[in-house]
Amino acid sequence: MRADKAALRAERAALTGPVPERAHDGKTAGMPLDRAPEWYASEAALRVARNIVSFQTPAGGWGKNVNRDAPPRAPGEGYVAGLDPSGKAGGPRAIDDDGWSYVGTIDNDATTTELRFLARVQAQFPGAAGDGYRAAFEKGVRYLLAAQFPNGGWPQVYPLQGGYHDALTFNDGAVADVATLMLSVAARAGDYGFVAAALAEAARVSAERACAVIVQTQVRIGGKPTIWGQQHDALTLAPAGARNFEPIAVSSGESAGLLLFLMRLKDPSPGVVAAVRDGVAWLDAHALHDVAWVVDPARGGRRLVAQPGAAPLWPRYYEIPTARAIFGDRDRSIHDSVDEISEERRNGYAWFVTEPRKAIEAYAKWSAKHASPQ
């Protein structure tokens, strides 16, 4: 982090004019990954690729919520949108204040999306014109390798930022997304065919370690495997809380994502097969039926209401060890009814999810191909 800050500080010291006001903020990342291969040779794609390369931090990662379909980063411009505004009229935010946040992260699919996009672009430029994109890609993969904990997980932010950001982060599919990318890099196929053998082997080992820690962190209650937390402590591997309204708990949505990731492995180990079997069984047993999470303006917004025949629904958080649904609020209070929390949090967070249904449905086909050790 000191090196990243020093690099930006040196850029700003060399400026003869004012520091650029801010990075290009944006709700959309502007990096489509589903276009026809030839599109990635277009000027529109190259505009995004140039932006990506310019915003890569000295450590090798990228920040989140920066519009990549925008001009490249100017010298002295912050790596993320939040770094620059000072909160005062004019002038950039100081590098050493609280504006240095998420400068290198896997949150919201950051870094992994940039890398996938660069891989698609470089495939259209096998000669010297693609060398810069390949170099940025390799630097980004090495960044992810450096960010990986010895136990096999990844923090939300690297270099480490402190607080819950340092936890092993299953939230929003972060660890599974990085591990999936590592598997692609290791395979050296398609867009990743250019990857050097040594880097591919490092990626293979990285993905293997990630799979091992996923199996290891499956929470046991009374000796029986259940599902996973949204975050796990980087040292103890115990489930951990995050923001005030995100308590220590097992989390249904994140667990569904982990199960789907494990079911995509080509040759799952007996430990993976058992983890999937037990996780799916737990989710199936803890679904809510005949209820719906709906908007009810007459009652202040979102409410859980009776609805016979509704599709299964899962509370986001289950208390450890009781497996009761729990709901947090900004004052760090924990409740067993979503109606008890503040209207702002009740309406502004995904307290009930449907992702486990995808995992349960996928398991019905997957289990037929894989013996399930008891």
Side-chain angles (χ1 to χ4, degrees):
M1 186 184 290
R2 285 196 297 270
D4 283 357
K5 289 181 176 181
L8 184 58
R9 192 176 286 112
E11 281 187 359
R12 289 181 172 178
L15 293 174
T16 56
V19 173
E21 288 188 1
R22 63 182 298 124
H24 302 285
D25 201 356
K27 293 182 179 180
T28 176
M31 297 175 284
L33 299 176
D34 58 354
R35 303 291 177 86
E38 57 270 19
W39 182 85
Y40 294 94
S42 70
E43 181 55 34
L46 290 174
R47 173 183 171 90
V48 174
R50 288 190 290 265
N51 177 287
I52 289 172
V53 172
S54 73
F55 274 92
Q56 188 172 29
T57 68
W62 284 270
K64 66 175 184 174
N65 300 338
V66 177
N67 181 14
R68 300 298 177 206
D69 189 18
R73 188 179 74 91
E77 185 177 355
Y79 301 110
V80 297
L83 180 61
D84 293 331
S86 63
K88 301 176 182 178
R93 176 176 281 178
I95 290 173
D96 288 319
D97 73 6
D98 62 1
W100 193 272
S101 181
Y102 290 98
V103 183
T105 182
I106 59 173
D107 192 35
N108 290 3
D109 300 324
T111 298
T112 54
T113 305
E114 280 82 356
L115 289 171
R116 290 184 172 104
F117 193 93
L118 289 177
R120 282 162 171 72
V121 170
Q122 70 76 34
Q124 302 301 309
F125 299 93
D131 286 347
Y133 305 126
R134 285 184 282 276
F137 178 92
E138 179 176 342
K139 183 177 181 180
V141 172
R142 294 194 181 282
Y143 161 86
L144 292 174
L145 291 171
Q148 189 173 25
F149 289 134
N151 59 35
W154 278 276
Q156 186 185 57
V157 177
Y158 183 81
L160 295 178
Q161 186 173 314
Y164 70 85
H165 306 289
D166 294 0
L168 192 160
T169 304
F170 295 140
N171 188 27
D172 294 335
V175 164
D177 185 41
V178 181
T180 299
L181 176 64
M182 290 299 182
L183 288 171
S184 297
V185 174
R188 301 177 73 194
D191 294 339
Y192 304 95
F194 72 95
V195 173
L199 186 62
E201 174 61 14
R204 184 195 66 78
V205 173
S206 173
E208 193 173 83
R209 291 168 56 211
C211 292
V213 81
I214 290 172
V215 172
Q216 185 180 0
T217 50
Q218 188 171 25
V219 177
R220 290 178 175 268
I221 297 177
K224 296 182 179 181
T226 63
I227 53 174
W228 289 264
Q230 189 169 269
Q231 301 82 210
H232 286 245
D233 186 273
L235 299 179
T236 68
L237 297 184
R243 291 171 291 186
N244 283 6
F245 51 89
E246 296 173 318
I248 296 172
V250 290
S251 179
S252 58
E254 276 70 22
S255 296
L258 290 172
L259 291 166
L260 288 167
F261 166 74
L262 293 175
M263 283 188 274
R264 287 193 292 267
L265 298 177
K266 290 184 178 180
D267 187 22
S269 67
V272 167
V273 173
V276 172
R277 178 201 67 212
D278 295 334
V280 168
W282 196 95
L283 286 174
D284 197 21
H286 289 81
L288 300 179
H289 299 277
D290 299 321
V291 294
W293 181 233
V294 300
V295 176
D296 184 352
R299 298 177 62 203
R302 288 195 173 274
R303 296 286 181 177
L304 188 68
V305 300
Q307 190 175 105
L313 202 61
W314 285 261
R316 183 165 188 158
Y317 298 122
Y318 294 83
E319 186 181 48
I320 303 171
T322 66
R324 295 183 306 171
I326 55 174
F327 309 89
D329 216 333
R330 289 198 182 276
D331 62 359
R332 300 191 71 86
S333 59
I334 299 174
H335 306 264
D336 57 13
S337 170
V338 71
D339 291 337
E340 295 176 357
I341 64 175
S342 65
E343 182 176 326
E344 181 271 334
R345 274 301 78 194
R346 177 164 43 81
N347 292 322
Y349 197 62
W351 294 111
F352 296 91
V353 299
T354 59
E355 290 88 347
R357 184 177 181 180
K358 298 177 184 177
I360 293 169
E361 291 174 349
Y363 181 73
K365 297 179 180 179
W366 183 87
S367 60
K369 299 179 181 180
H370 301 283
S372 183
Q374 299 297 320

